[in-house]
Amino acid sequence: MLLEIYRSFGVNLDLAVEAREIVRGETGQEIPGVKVDRESYEHASVTIVEIVDKSAEAVMGKPVGTYITVEAPVLRENNPAAHQQVGEVLARNLSRFVNLSEYSNILLVGLGNWRATPDALGPKVIENSLVTRHLFNYAPQELKGGMRSVSALAPGVLGITGIETAEIIKGVVEKVRPELIMVIDSLAARSVTRICTTIQIADTGISPGSGIGNRRAGINRETMGVPVVAIGVPTVVHAAVIAQDSINGFLEEMKKNNQAFQGLNPGFAQHIIGKVLEPFGGGNLTVTPKEIDSLIHAMSKVIAGGISLALHPGLTADDYAYYLH
């Protein structure tokens, strides 16, 4: 029911773990065709959701595949040591999808609009990533063992370039011929607590802009011809979701305090939210914290570090910092 309400506002849940929470919360049972595993670390928890058949795909609204969610509230704190540990957890989980030889060629793609801070995560990650393809060609003496050929691209968005992002990436893929593509993008979350504290890794690729109802051509194995691993971080929350949760929380508190309550038609609440948000097209209004600049800055370093450690198994975190500078 709740998923249907969100969809009526044009809201898509980018995080598989959130879609599972909603569906499972409504049925009280695990979703058939979905497998779940969990891991715990000092500064992070990891949830692995595997959608294994088409029936679960239809219920979850997510393609069949593996979705790994790293949740680390410490990412909102100024704690560099903890951030480095979260980056190492990210690297360990990314490595599940990097079944490549030492001489493989990888392409990193930072999706998003560098002019809009909540959407600038992808380009920021590219700025902080360790790229080595040029070193293999022109300065092999600078490389140490256990490093792969990595190139990177921040293609911008359709409104800036006038070209579909997928078309730009496809052109580069045809020239560079990578064995693996990693795309990094900003996502929309259901809960404000997940903004810049949650990282999702998926082997299903990505549809840029889908979380804010601006779906572009997909970037996946089918369109690119090679495996695509997507890394996403929630940077915004839909105002319609916040309004719905606020109404639900208010009604729950009334019940707990034995206040007179005759029930509220969900359709009526949906109508009221729609009226309030009508000037912004219903579900098109998204919100982000005022400190999003610093959060994006910190998160981009964590993700870039995790990617570099996963793709270059011969490097340590100190080596990554050395090469980056």
Side-chain angles (χ1 to χ4, degrees):
M1 179 63 183
L2 197 52
L3 274 178
E4 293 302 321
I5 292 175
Y6 291 158
R7 288 168 184 162
S8 71
F9 286 120
V11 173
N12 296 303
L13 294 180
D14 286 333
L15 297 177
V17 70
E18 290 188 334
R20 173 185 170 270
E21 287 171 355
I22 292 175
V23 175
R24 193 172 184 275
E26 292 175 349
T27 64
Q29 300 177 347
E30 189 53 77
I31 305 165
V34 174
K35 298 179 180 179
V36 180
D37 195 14
R38 294 181 176 82
E39 299 173 357
S40 295
Y41 300 88
E42 181 181 1
H43 293 293
S45 61
V46 176
T47 304
I48 305 167
V49 175
E50 292 184 73
I51 303 176
V52 297
D53 62 42
K54 290 291 185 180
S55 63
E57 178 182 284
V59 171
M60 295 270 289
K62 297 287 175 189
V64 168
T66 301
Y67 301 82
I68 300 176
T69 305
V70 179
E71 297 182 76
V74 72
L75 290 173
R76 297 190 70 145
E77 302 173 9
N78 183 20
N79 189 337
H83 289 192
Q84 180 175 320
Q85 290 182 32
V86 175
E88 292 169 356
V89 172
L90 174 63
R92 189 175 298 115
N93 284 280
L94 276 173
S95 296
R96 301 172 190 257
F97 302 116
V98 186
N99 300 314
L100 303 172
S101 73
E102 180 182 348
Y103 305 102
S104 296
N105 185 20
I106 299 101
L107 174 64
L108 304 181
V109 181
L111 301 176
N113 184 350
W114 50 74
R115 296 177 181 173
T117 303
D119 198 32
L121 177 70
K124 287 287 187 183
V125 169
I126 296 303
E127 287 181 13
N128 290 296
S129 293
L130 177 58
V131 295
T132 56
R133 184 170 180 266
H134 61 302
L135 297 179
F136 275 88
N137 292 333
Y138 303 113
Q141 71 277 4
E142 295 297 327
L143 297 166
K144 63 178 292 185
M147 297 182 72
R148 293 188 174 98
S149 174
V150 176
S151 49
L153 172 70
V157 293
L158 182 65
I160 292 177
T161 65
I163 308 171
E164 281 284 3
T165 303
E167 293 177 357
I168 297 175
I169 299 170
K170 183 65 173 177
V172 174
V173 167
E174 291 173 354
K175 182 68 176 179
V176 176
R177 298 188 181 281
E179 281 80 35
L180 175 70
I181 302 171
M182 282 192 178
V183 295
I184 306 97
D185 198 10
S186 300
L187 306 179
R190 173 177 177 264
S191 170
V192 293
T193 61
R194 284 196 163 106
I195 291 181
C196 288
T197 65
T198 300
I199 306 168
Q200 176 175 269
I201 313 166
D203 62 358
T204 56
I206 197 166
S207 294
S210 62
I212 58 171
N214 189 26
R215 188 182 295 271
R216 314 305 317 168
I219 301 165
N220 49 46
R221 182 192 285 265
E222 288 70 31
T223 58
M224 297 295 137
V226 296
V228 177
V229 174
I231 304 168
V233 174
T235 60
V236 298
V237 175
H238 290 276
V241 173
I242 296 175
Q244 186 71 49
D245 287 349
S246 299
I247 291 174
N248 292 342
F250 172 71
L251 297 178
E252 285 298 322
E253 284 300 315
M254 288 184 66
K255 289 180 183 179
K256 288 179 183 178
N257 293 297
N258 297 317
Q259 299 292 322
F261 177 67
Q262 301 299 321
L264 179 64
N265 186 321
F268 179 72
Q270 189 177 337
H271 172 72
I272 294 299
I273 295 172
K275 290 290 288 183
V276 172
L277 299 179
E278 188 174 6
F280 302 95
N284 291 332
L285 180 64
T286 56
V287 296
T288 194
K290 64 180 181 180
E291 67 271 22
I292 191 63
D293 300 76
S294 59
L295 293 174
I296 291 290
H297 178 74
M299 182 61 81
S300 65
K301 289 188 173 182
V302 170
I303 294 177
I307 290 173
S308 296
L309 292 178
L311 296 184
H312 306 293
L315 294 189
T316 65
D318 289 339
D319 292 331
Y320 160 72
Y322 167 77
Y323 276 106
L324 201 62
H325 289 92

